Amino acid sequence: MSFIESLFGLAGKVALVSGASRGIGSTIAGGLEQAGARVVGVARSPRPLSFPEGVEYRQADVCDGSQVREIVEDVFERFGRIDVYVHAAGISLQPTTPDRQLADFAQTVDVNLKAAYACAVIVAEPMRRAGGGSVIYITSIGSMLGFPDNPGYVASKGGLRMLTRALAVDFGKHNIRVNAVAPGYVRTAMTEASFTDPLLHEQRRRHTLLGRWGEAADVVGAVIFLASAASSYVTGQDIVVDGGWTAKGLV
Ligand code: NAP
């Protein structure tokens, strides 16, 4: 095995990725598999035709603990380990009517934050029994900055950023590392409306230092790093993958 393979290779590791039916989660699932891991993707939709070949796919709602537990137990029984959990499941609801605001806030927090905690607690047990693991939360630049008209999203991602630290503290004694990857604007179904609106597209593009929107593939390297031995002494951290959005001073 080469030095690079020993650092970044994931051969022998088992990874579970939620939010895997499309976008960033699907690309992460494919990327982890390419790096050598056995990967199980999870989302509510039926397996999409475009889903990476060679990656197992299971249908479940991350807000339903019993569905998640059933998958985790099954994976652990078949493979004897779960090394990596990526919580890419997330929602960003468009503003609707004032009477929906509280319900939308609660629903967003349920998927983006509460389920992220519940899933980590469920995977932590098999990780602990196998000697350790890596939990990776997909947060957002919205975990650090205010954005308009979507308080549930910003609050849930800000909470997820701090949950990363809280669980890094609680799980460290079990050799379970907990880190976050915070993407900037990435072209997916979630951002399709702003990507296709010429004004919003340009506004977001110009705010980056690299002068372009992100692609889902831009997020994969940071996740492989956090899943692999290369990050064996890294926990409780954010890796910001935003084309320089948060580093920019003068807009
Ligand atoms: P997306 O294309 O809308 O994908 C969201 C994924 O989450 C889908 O696979 C969806 O699958 C899944 N999901 C939603 N609710 C779920 C639930 N209750 N149970 C299980 N799966 C659920 O969005 P994306 O852009 O790839 O976003 C992926 C993650 O990156 C999210 O956490 C998002 O907040 C974060 N992020 C995205 C951007 C961006 O610019 N795109 C920037 C920063 C952070 P089903 O609908 O099939 O369940």
Side-chain angles (χ1 to χ4, degrees), residues 19 21-22 24 44-45 61-62 88 138-139 153 157 184 186 188 191:
S21 62
R22 58 178 183 267
I24 292 173
R44 293 164 304 174
S45 317
D61 184 334
V62 289
I138 307 303
T139 57
Y153 190 79
K157 293 297 186 176
V186 175
T188 66
T191 52

Side-chain angles (χ1 to χ4, degrees), residues 18-26 42-46 57 60-64 87-92 111-112 115 138-142 153 157 160 181-191 213 216:
S18 72
S21 62
R22 58 178 183 267
I24 292 173
S26 170
V42 178
R44 293 164 304 174
S45 317
Y57 185 86
D61 184 334
V62 289
C63 298
D64 185 331
H87 192 91
I91 57 171
S92 171
V111 179
N112 295 5
I138 307 303
T139 57
S140 163
I141 52 174
Y153 190 79
K157 293 297 186 176
L160 192 55
V181 173
Y185 278 89
V186 175
R187 183 189 186 174
T188 66
M190 187 179 277
T191 52
W213 275 63

